[in-house]
Amino acid sequence: VYDDLEYTVAENGTCSVFGIGTYKGKILVIPGNSPSGETITEIGSSAFINNTDFTEVIISENVETIQAYAFNNCYSLRKISIPSSVTTIGKKAFYDCGALEEITIPKTVLYIKQEAFTGCNKLSIKCEIAENDKPSGWASTWNRSNRPVTWDCNNITVNNE
């Protein structure tokens, strides 16, 4: 189904998605395995930069790293699902994704590089960790645009009285 994405396999057998290829759908699914069966552990640097075709991205559980500029300037991207397997979000990974509305950052994310969400002017950020537990690997400018952040989002209780 996703033979039209571009993949590269390292000598150690890890696989990275590095480009959109001929895919033209509105919902982009990063699969868990390449068409030839390698486990996909990374979305490569600038993999989908400047793409305006898809509005939603679903990342499969095997992916651990979203490299720098991976979704930079994806102006149509409104929704992304980041799995708990992700530990790193690269520099400017979602830079200028102006339509992106909401993202949940799993508690497994140990590193968020500089300006990961800069220019995402509609974005609301949910973090599964408490603000006091923020890992030291999060750059001080990870949220340079000062988008609203809900910390410890899985433990929020809503009073329906």
Side-chain angles (χ1 to χ4, degrees):
V1 173
Y2 299 101
D3 292 351
D4 43 6
L5 295 177
E6 296 174 346
Y7 304 91
T8 185
V9 181
E11 287 182 22
N12 66 4
T14 60
C15 186
S16 174
V17 174
F18 75 91
I20 194 73
T22 58
Y23 184 78
K24 294 290 182 198
K26 292 291 182 193
I27 299 175
L28 174 65
V29 176
I30 307 297
N33 295 69
S34 72
S36 54
E38 294 89 2
T39 299
I40 297 170
T41 59
E42 176 178 281
I43 299 171
S45 182
S46 303
F48 303 107
I49 194 168
N50 298 325
N51 183 286
T52 58
D53 291 329
F54 53 80
T55 59
E56 181 177 353
V57 174
I58 300 168
I59 302 173
S60 296
E61 261 311 316
N62 294 331
V63 174
E64 299 169 0
T65 302
I66 301 170
Q67 289 286 5
Y69 308 99
F71 296 97
N72 189 317
N73 294 320
C74 291
Y75 299 118
S76 300
L77 180 59
R78 296 182 55 168
K79 183 178 180 185
I80 187 157
S81 299
I82 297 180
S84 61
S85 57
V86 170
T87 60
T88 303
I89 298 174
K91 178 180 180 180
K92 296 185 178 182
F94 298 97
Y95 189 89
D96 268 351
C97 291
L100 189 58
E101 296 173 349
E102 185 177 294
I103 193 166
T104 299
I105 300 172
K107 60 185 171 190
T108 55
V109 175
L110 302 175
Y111 302 95
I112 301 181
K113 305 297 181 176
Q114 302 90 333
E115 301 187 52
F117 303 104
T118 298
C120 299
N121 298 325
K122 294 181 179 179
L123 184 62
S124 292
I125 301 169
K126 293 181 179 180
C127 293
E128 291 182 352
I129 59 167
E131 185 172 11
N132 293 338
D133 296 330
K134 185 171 63 173
S136 61
W138 288 27
S140 60
T141 58
W142 74 274
N143 183 18
R144 174 159 267 165
S145 296
N146 294 315
R147 301 307 307 149
V149 178
T150 302
W151 297 98
D152 202 12
C153 65
N154 290 338
N155 291 320
I156 294 175
T157 55
V158 177
N159 188 348
N160 292 325
E161 290 183 37

